C-alpha cells in the first residue's frame, strides 16, 4: 500500500527479508511493538544474533511492558502499546 511504502521510506517499517510486506498476514506482538517503537523514534534494528526480535522485547521490558514476541497481537495489547507511545 502507499501508506506502507511511506512508512518504509521513513524507516518505521522494513518488511521481510524477501522484500515483501505481506499486508494481509496476521501481525505478531514483536512486529507491532517494533513499528510502534520506531514511530516513537527508537529506530530499532533487528538483533545481530539470536531472534530478530530480542532487542525490541528488551526495550519494551525496560519500560515495564511485557510482550510475547511470536503471539498474534490482540487488540488489548495493541491499545496498550499505542497508549504508551502517545501518552507516556
Amino acid at each position: 500500500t502507499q501508506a506502507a511504502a511511506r512508512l518504509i521510506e521513513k524507516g518505521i517499517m522494513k518488511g521481510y527479508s524477501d522484500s515483501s510486506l505481506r499486508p494481509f498476514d496476521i501481525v505478531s506482538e514483536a512486529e507491532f511493538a517494533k513499528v510502534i517503537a520506531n514511530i516513537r523514534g527508537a529506530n530499532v534494528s533487528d538483533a545481530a544474533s539470536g531472534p530478530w526480535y530480542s532487542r525490541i522485547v528488551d526495550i519494551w521490558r525496560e519500560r515495564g511492558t511485557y510482550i510475547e514476541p511470536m503471539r498474534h497481537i490482540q487488540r488489548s495489547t495493541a491499545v496498550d502499546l499505542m497508549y504508551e507511545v502517545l501518552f507516556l
Side-chain angles (χ1 to χ4, degrees), residues 7-28:
L7 291 173
I8 289 169
E9 286 173 17
K10 293 182 178 288
I12 293 170
M13 282 183 12
K14 185 173 97 171
Y16 292 90
S17 60
D18 64 359
S19 300
S20 66
L21 293 178
R22 303 180 194 166
F24 300 107
D25 281 5
I26 295 173
V27 176
S28 73

Side-chain angles (χ1 to χ4, degrees), residues 19-66:
S19 300
S20 66
L21 293 178
R22 303 180 194 166
F24 300 107
D25 281 5
I26 295 173
V27 176
S28 73
E29 288 189 14
E31 291 168 325
F32 189 81
K34 183 176 178 181
V35 170
I36 293 296
N38 285 341
I39 288 170
R40 182 82 188 244
N43 205 12
V44 179
S45 58
D46 294 347
S49 63
W52 70 266
Y53 52 78
S54 60
R55 289 193 66 227
I56 194 66
V57 169
D58 291 342
I59 287 169
W60 283 100
R61 285 193 177 147
E62 287 171 10
R63 296 178 56 90
T65 300
Y66 294 88

Side-chain angles (χ1 to χ4, degrees), residues 26-33 52-53 65-78 80-81:
I26 295 173
V27 176
S28 73
E29 288 189 14
E31 291 168 325
F32 189 81
W52 70 266
Y53 52 78
T65 300
Y66 294 88
I67 62 171
E68 293 293 331
M70 298 312 294
R71 181 172 60 190
H72 297 156
I73 194 157
Q74 298 176 355
R75 286 186 183 120
S76 60
T77 304
D80 288 346
L81 294 173

